[in-house]
Amino acid sequence: MGSKVFELLFWVSSLLCWACFAGGFTPADNYLIDCGSPTNTTVGDRVFMADNLASKFLSVQENILGNTSNAVTSSDDSRLYQTARIFTGVSRYTFSISQRGRHWIRLYFYPFVYASYNMSVAKFAVSTENHVLLSSFSVQAPFVKEFSVNVTSNSLVIIFSPSENSIAFINALEVVSVPDQLIPDTASSVESSSGFQGLMWQALETVARVNMGGPTVSFENDTLWRTWVPDQRFLVEKNLALNVSNTMAVKYVDGGSTPDIAPNSVYGTCTRMNSLNDPNSNFNVTWEFDVDPGFRYLLRFHFCDIVSNALNQLYFNVFIDSWMVVRDLDLSILVNILGGAYYMDYVTESATRNKLRVSVGPSNLHNTYPDAILNGLEIMKMNNSDGSLTGLGTVNTSGSRSKKKIGAIVGVSIGVACGVLLAGVLFMFCRKRRRLSRQRQSKTWIPFSINGGTSHTMGSKYSKGTTTSLNSNTSYHIPFLAVQEATNNFDESWVIGIGGFGKVYKGELNDGTKVAVKRGNPRSQQGLAEFQTEIEMLSQFRHRHLVSLIGYCDEKNEMILIYEYMENGTLKSHLYGSDHPSLSWKQRLEICIGAARGLHYLHTGYAKAVIHRDVKSANILLDENLMAKVADFGLSKTGPEIDQTHVSTAVKGSFGYLDPEYFRRQQLTEKSDVYSFGVVLFEVLCARPVIDPTLPREMVNLAEWAMKWQKRGQLEQIIDRNLIGNIWPESLRKFGETAEKCLADFGVDRPSMGDVLWNLEYALQLQEAVVQGDPEENSTNMIGELSPQINNFSQLDLSVSSAQVQVASVDDLSGVSMSKVFSQLVKSEGR
Ligand SMILES: *[C@@H]1O[C@H](CO)[C@@H](O)[C@H](O)[C@H]1NC(C)=O
Ligand SMILES: *[C@@H]1O[C@H](CO)[C@@H](O)[C@H](O)[C@H]1NC(C)=O
Ligand SMILES: *[C@@H]1O[C@H](CO)[C@@H](O)[C@H](O)[C@H]1NC(C)=O
Ligand SMILES: *[C@@H]1O[C@H](CO)[C@@H](O)[C@H](O)[C@H]1NC(C)=O
Ligand SMILES: *[C@@H]1O[C@H](CO)[C@@H](O)[C@H](O)[C@H]1NC(C)=O
Ligand SMILES: *[C@@H]1O[C@H](CO)[C@@H](O)[C@H](O)[C@H]1NC(C)=O
Ligand SMILES: *[C@@H]1O[C@H](CO)[C@@H](O)[C@H](O)[C@H]1NC(C)=O
Ligand SMILES: *[C@@H]1O[C@H](CO)[C@@H](O)[C@H](O)[C@H]1NC(C)=O
Ligand SMILES: *[C@@H]1O[C@H](CO)[C@@H](O)[C@H](O)[C@H]1NC(C)=O
């Protein structure tokens, strides 16, 4: 009951938040003028009014309206450029503002010659009552200047002031409301950890608005009529960058961005570090922009991980000039979901050069592939202490600049204040929730992103001067001599596992890296081909939750694979059948989440889904920090190419985990792995073997037994008794539901590994949410009341444990799981 409410709140608040940010924005003030035009002009879905309709806003009586037939034709708004209004003296537009707050001011310029007026030589200033927008300004080409100012009175005045003996002109003009949330009052600051406050007072000029890795996004495809330009011309070294486009992946979620902040088409493309062919890449991708020294700039970075296949894969650093603004940025913990749109604001110090550089580069964290992305970037110039956006002197606005006026207006209208208050409360609510959820997330998620585990020590130091028989992955090659040395010449006392293919040795490379060495039986020519394929495949999978290949050796007819060593052995050995201390519920959840990540990556991280085919607790290994890694992954085949004989051999090895649908349809899919993983989940919860022939008949098969209790809603009756009193009902319920879904009869009804991952994370949050509160307060709710049945079961479970040890040890290789490569090699010899 309580958990239902909790969950409901979770969703309602997410929805509410979404609603208050998203949705089509309708500007309260919307002045669009096609200056000099005799008729209304439609651009996209907006109508720019004819000049004569706008004359009521204008202070001048003199009408000099120019037109030209050779205006640009390429852009969608070209019709706006065909006419212009020309000013020979100081002139003002005065717009009444129905809703105070930030407004766009967009000025369209295209100089042409009309009568005796040559607009190319025009020189003039544009200002509002409080801010100088342009001074000594002249234009040679079609140009839109975009500003945004917070209008704090009920009118906005825009003043055009020609320089001496010159003229001013304008082709089109926009004054349009901006959603309040677009520019919040605070931003991070490169100088101070406390950040920058007071953006509400800033006039901003858009210096650059860039869609990284993609095409121009025109105003017609932007809810706030902004134009985003491609980044090619800003890239310092184009060859270091790749374009990525995956618009379908973009998700707007609570705690992230909204379509008003930037459209899908911006988040759906990015420029990515070109490191795909070199895991040792170490360089930045850099963009350079022209700026005016003496001004501060507001930078808005748009990020969306459209390149990863799973959460917690992408870590990178972000720089503004030489400042590192974020180290090891992990979007996973910020938006909680792959493809979640996210943005960050930074205020620079006052620029000292006329160039501003923005870079992204690889993180130094262990176990991360060098990579970095940027999806979009906005650079906005901030006014200086004189309220000016231009460095040049003050402008003659005929004394209309008046700061007194602002003071008088503040807080005048109670009606407006109420409206603002209401919006503010809603906004604060959203902000608060957002902050809360971030805090919670970071507590829950950070351990995963930081526990780097063993670093990947590539065999590159051995790569020179060795055999060329496997030319594809020479960097993984390790000389036989080094393998002999590492294993004390295959010392029998160093054997940690034995299987059909040969033995697994513990070893240590000469740089101290601990490894697990699998030595296959002498090979045939046929075996060599498979061995080679497997190495190629394995070397492409690099993920923190997959046991990684460190190298191989094929000298002297050997077939040796060298993996990272997993200090804590198999998950299975921590659940039952050994004297390891019992794992806590949180540890178990984290292990399941890690393994789910690894499997999710296998299913989605490669061109074709890779099916593991032998998911079981003995194939989930734990490193020294109990971080889970899935073993034997590269040895599986991609879906359609499955060789039936191999499938059936794999099947035999893992009775109890096997997908029933496989029997029916003889077809293996990713969902078979999901089924097996569901069995692992129950195994983790109940800490007993998946098949235990010594138990009463209905209990022999864990999957059946657990499903029976789950369907009755009494799963707590059969959980590991070490968990009793330490597991929250909400968390258990979520976990049980997840496992149940994995065990659905038909593959189509089972969730994807991505969904499983999400649900497990949620189960962890449910556990954490309560634990982080007051542990005493709710202790009566903790699962603890046991029926007699439980105690009986637990005793029963214990009583058979010695028998289990033997059963378990058959496929439990204490630290390194058996490799199907070898079993397949052996098999293929016989074919
Ligand atoms: C031109 O646009 C204005 C509003 O911007 C509208 O009131 C007027 O009816 C339009 N005129 C024509 C001829 O469409
Ligand atoms: C400018 O407008 C006038 C009146 O509408 C028209 O006669 C003339 O052809 C136009 N000139 C150009 C260059 O478009
Ligand atoms: C207008 O001014 C530009 C820039 O000075 C010049 O190149 C052009 O020839 C002028 N055009 C006319 C018709 O005077
Ligand atoms: C505009 O300024 C007023 C103060 O005059 C402030 O209350 C309001 O939040 C600001 N609006 C925005 C969007 O910054
Ligand atoms: C808007 O986006 C759609 C699809 O992304 C594209 O087909 C269309 O050309 C775009 N429109 C403009 C004006 O760029
Ligand atoms: C990225 O796309 C742009 C055009 O949108 C193209 O000019 C550029 O060559 C592309 N870069 C790469 C590395 O493909
Ligand atoms: C990336 O740029 C920053 C800032 O200029 C610099 O400190 C860092 O060394 C660069 N990293 C690489 C790998 O070049
Ligand atoms: C920008 O102008 C406002 C007054 O409109 C002022 O309060 C603010 O400090 C100025 N910004 C900077 C960075 O000096
Ligand atoms: C400012 O402009 C007004 C009107 O054009 C003019 O009368 C006044 O002399 C100018 N003041 C200065 C300081 O240039």
Side-chain angles (χ1 to χ4, degrees):
M1 169 65 192
S3 73
K4 279 261 154 56
V5 171
F6 184 87
E7 199 168 344
L8 192 73
L9 265 176
F10 181 85
W11 289 114
V12 166
S13 55
S14 305
L15 271 177
L16 202 64
C17 246
W18 202 78
C20 77
F21 284 110
F25 172 72
T26 312
D29 297 306
N30 195 26
Y31 295 101
L32 310 172
I33 305 171
D34 185 3
C35 305
S37 170
T39 57
N40 285 354
T41 302
T42 305
V43 177
D45 55 358
R46 301 197 298 169
V47 177
F48 283 71
M49 70 176 86
D51 193 291
N52 64 316
L53 298 173
S55 58
K56 60 181 179 239
F57 307 122
L58 201 52
S59 64
V60 288
Q61 304 311 317
E62 184 193 26
N63 289 324
I64 309 172
L65 308 180
N67 63 351
T68 181
S69 54
N70 50 9
V72 276
T73 50
S74 61
S75 72
D76 303 314
D77 48 6
S78 62
R79 289 180 59 206
L80 297 177
Y81 295 114
Q82 288 169 5
T83 57
R85 176 174 271 276
I86 295 160
F87 306 107
T88 54
V90 173
S91 313
R92 283 186 193 78
Y93 281 98
T94 304
F95 301 101
S96 76
I97 294 300
S98 62
Q99 193 175 308
R100 295 174 194 196
R102 199 163 276 280
H103 285 66
W104 300 117
I105 299 175
R106 293 196 181 102
L107 308 173
Y108 295 70
F109 299 107
Y110 174 65
F112 54 84
V113 177
Y114 175 75
S116 61
Y117 305 102
N118 185 347
M119 295 180 218
S120 298
V121 298
K123 204 168 171 196
F124 56 100
V126 181
S127 54
T128 67
E129 286 176 289
N130 307 313
H131 299 285
V132 181
L133 306 180
L134 299 168
S135 59
S136 283
F137 179 70
S138 57
V139 229
Q140 307 305 327
F143 206 67
V144 184
K145 279 277 184 187
E146 181 186 275
F147 303 90
S148 75
V149 297
N150 183 359
V151 182
T152 51
S153 70
N154 48 18
S155 70
L156 172 68
V157 181
I158 299 175
I159 303 143
F160 288 81
S161 317
S163 298
E164 214 169 329
N165 298 324
S166 191
I167 55 165
F169 74 98
I170 179 83
N171 299 69
L173 173 66
E174 284 184 33
V175 173
V176 179
S177 302
V178 171
D180 282 340
Q181 303 88 336
L182 189 70
I183 309 286
D185 190 46
T186 55
S188 303
S189 160
V190 296
E191 291 161 302
S192 116
S193 55
S194 57
F196 182 92
Q197 274 199 333
L199 283 178
M200 70 164 94
W201 307 112
Q202 297 298 315
L204 300 172
E205 175 185 344
T206 307
V207 174
R209 179 174 290 129
V210 189
N211 177 25
M212 268 65 191
T216 299
V217 175
S218 89
F219 52 84
E220 285 158 341
N221 279 343
D222 182 292
T223 54
L224 303 179
W225 302 281
R226 293 162 297 197
T227 300
W228 303 73
V229 301
D231 66 326
Q232 289 296 313
R233 66 183 153 113
F234 305 108
L235 270 172
V236 175
E237 284 188 78
K238 295 186 175 58
N239 59 322
L240 300 182
L242 289 176
N243 297 333
V244 180
S245 174
N246 186 4
T247 318
M248 301 297 285
V250 180
K251 295 173 194 81
Y252 290 101
V253 294
D254 177 29
S257 187
T258 71
D260 281 347
I261 285 166
N264 211 44
S265 37
V266 169
Y267 286 114
T269 65
C270 71
T271 291
R272 179 184 196 175
M273 180 181 171
N274 186 359
S275 60
L276 297 184
N277 297 318
D278 181 5
N280 298 316
S281 300
N282 188 20
F283 55 81
N284 292 329
V285 179
T286 301
W287 297 264
E288 190 173 76
F289 301 89
D290 291 330
V291 293
D292 287 337
F295 289 88
R296 310 177 80 164
Y297 289 84
L298 169 63
L299 270 66
R300 174 165 288 182
F301 294 88
H302 297 276
F303 293 110
C304 180
D305 184 355
I306 56 170
V307 302
S308 297
N309 305 297
L311 291 168
N312 302 105
Q313 273 182 13
L314 177 67
Y315 299 83
F316 57 99
N317 298 330
V318 182
F319 306 90
I320 299 175
D321 288 330
S322 56
W323 293 85
M324 184 187 282
V325 292
V326 201
R327 181 191 299 277
D328 306 327
L329 178 65
D330 180 2
L331 296 168
S332 304
I333 65 165
L334 298 170
V335 284
N336 214 336
I337 188 171
L338 201 60
Y342 190 76
Y343 73 98
M344 302 187 309
D345 290 339
Y346 281 88
V347 170
T348 67
E349 60 182 346
S350 190
T352 52
R353 302 187 309 133
N354 59 2
K355 299 284 181 198
L356 181 106
R357 284 185 166 218
V358 167
S359 311
V360 294
S363 146
N364 301 326
L365 283 178
H366 280 319
N367 255 8
T368 59
Y369 196 90
D371 206 345
I373 60 164
L374 183 59
N375 302 64
L377 179 69
E378 289 171 277
I379 301 181
M380 287 164 273
K381 188 185 194 181
M382 293 165 54
N383 66 258
N384 63 18
S385 51
D386 297 334
S388 172
L389 282 162
T390 74
L392 302 164
T394 46
V395 177
N396 183 352
T397 60
S398 299
S400 60
R401 282 185 68 196
S402 152
K403 302 216 167 174
K404 284 175 226 132
K405 219 172 163 184
I406 318 174
I409 285 155
V410 169
V412 161
S413 158
I414 289 179
V416 169
C418 281
V420 168
L421 197 73
L422 191 71
V425 165
L426 228 102
F427 184 57
M428 287 313 289
F429 172 73
C430 294
R431 287 274 299 251
K432 191 165 171 204
R433 223 210 75 80
R434 182 165 146 176
R435 224 177 299 128
L436 281 175
S437 73
R438 274 187 201 176
Q439 276 167 9
R440 194 171 57 214
Q441 280 159 21
S442 54
K443 278 204 184 102
T444 313
W445 293 53
I446 277 173
F448 282 105
S449 52
I450 296 180
N451 286 353
T454 326
S455 69
H456 296 299
T457 310
M458 305 293 237
S460 51
K461 48 186 168 291
Y462 298 113
S463 64
K464 302 270 151 48
T466 53
T467 173
T468 53
S469 62
L470 283 167
N471 50 13
S472 51
N473 272 291
T474 46
S475 68
Y476 287 89
H477 188 269
I478 297 183
F480 186 66
L481 217 62
V483 183
Q484 270 183 309
E485 212 176 288
T487 56
N488 200 20
N489 197 18
F490 302 104
D491 190 331
E492 284 301 307
S493 66
W494 290 28
V495 170
I496 51 176
I498 304 176
F501 63 90
K503 291 175 181 167
V504 184
Y505 301 81
K506 182 177 169 167
E508 192 170 322
L509 296 179
N510 60 9
D511 69 347
T513 313
K514 285 188 179 175
V515 292
V517 177
K518 295 184 187 181
R519 188 185 193 189
N521 297 325
R523 70 187 182 213
S524 66
Q525 270 316 103
Q526 222 174 348
L528 176 63
E530 289 202 24
F531 181 65
Q532 203 165 340
T533 317
E534 300 300 349
I535 290 166
E536 271 167 31
M537 204 155 167
L538 268 167
S539 55
Q540 300 199 33
F541 286 99
R542 307 209 67 80
H543 189 273
R544 66 184 52 232
H545 294 293
L546 298 178
V547 172
S548 55
L549 180 70
I550 288 178
Y552 68 88
C553 173
D554 63 342
E555 287 168 37
K556 302 189 177 163
N557 243 23
E558 292 282 349
M559 290 186 297
I560 296 173
L561 290 176
I562 296 133
Y563 295 92
E564 66 178 304
Y565 181 72
M566 300 293 284
E567 199 74 46
N568 271 310
T570 67
L571 166 61
K572 184 173 185 168
S573 69
H574 288 261
L575 294 174
Y576 49 86
S578 76
D579 47 12
H580 287 300
S582 172
L583 296 169
S584 73
W585 182 234
K586 185 179 172 216
Q587 283 173 323
R588 293 182 204 208
L589 281 171
E590 285 173 347
I591 288 167
C592 292
I593 289 169
R597 287 215 169 107
L599 288 172
H600 178 55
Y601 175 72
L602 272 187
H603 290 175
T604 59
Y606 199 60
K608 264 181 210 155
V610 172
I611 305 165
H612 187 288
R613 299 194 296 172
D614 201 8
V615 175
K616 55 183 177 184
S617 57
N619 273 343
I620 296 170
L621 307 186
L622 305 175
D623 75 1
E624 67 274 22
N625 301 317
L626 290 177
M627 185 168 86
K629 300 196 181 205
V630 177
D632 271 6
F633 47 95
L635 313 174
S636 319
K637 291 287 187 206
T638 52
E641 291 159 6
I642 285 171
D643 175 322
Q644 290 296 333
T645 55
H646 288 166
V647 174
S648 51
T649 44
V651 161
K652 267 185 207 153
S654 309
F655 204 58
Y657 294 95
L658 204 69
D659 173 10
E661 192 177 42
Y662 168 68
F663 288 119
R664 285 198 297 271
R665 301 181 53 202
Q666 297 291 303
Q667 196 185 347
L668 213 47
T669 70
E670 300 99 290
K671 294 296 178 72
S672 305
D673 284 350
V674 173
Y675 182 93
S676 308
F677 190 72
V679 181
V680 171
L681 293 181
F682 279 132
E683 196 181 356
V684 164
L685 182 67
C686 305
R688 52 151 281 190
V690 294
I691 298 287
D692 189 344
T694 63
L695 290 174
R697 206 180 180 299
E698 77 273 19
M699 294 171 67
V700 169
N701 184 323
L702 170 64
E704 282 172 19
W705 176 241
M707 282 294 271
K708 190 185 278 177
W709 289 93
Q710 166 64 20
K711 288 200 163 121
R712 274 186 217 163
Q714 295 181 327
L715 196 56
E716 69 276 7
Q717 301 288 322
I718 61 162
I719 64 173
D720 179 2
R721 59 182 201 157
N722 289 311
L723 293 175
I724 291 166
N726 298 308
I727 179 169
W728 292 97
E730 292 86 356
S731 181
L732 175 63
R733 186 180 56 80
K734 192 82 211 163
F735 188 87
E737 280 171 13
T738 309
E740 180 182 4
K741 284 182 195 142
C742 291
L743 295 189
D745 276 345
F746 296 96
V748 289
D749 299 328
R750 294 174 205 149
S752 69
M753 273 323 292
D755 294 335
V756 174
L757 178 56
W758 195 94
N759 279 291
L760 291 175
E761 269 153 1
Y762 189 53
L764 179 59
Q765 283 195 12
L766 289 169
Q767 177 78 8
E768 298 269 276
V770 199
V771 173
Q772 275 172 25
D774 184 352
E776 311 306 329
E777 188 186 308
N778 288 308
S779 59
T780 51
N781 292 335
M782 193 86 87
I783 287 177
E785 283 101 65
L786 292 176
S787 70
Q789 204 172 358
I790 273 263
N791 293 323
N792 290 344
F793 170 70
S794 301
Q795 276 157 16
L796 196 53
D797 195 23
L798 279 181
S799 69
V800 296
S801 62
S802 59
Q804 287 163 22
V805 178
Q806 287 176 337
V807 176
S809 58
V810 173
D811 58 352
D812 190 351
L813 295 174
S814 36
V816 184
S817 108
M818 288 296 145
S819 150
K820 276 188 304 259
V821 152
F822 293 99
S823 56
Q824 288 178 3
L825 295 179
V826 173
K827 281 275 161 343
S828 54
E829 271 175 28
R831 259 188 293 167

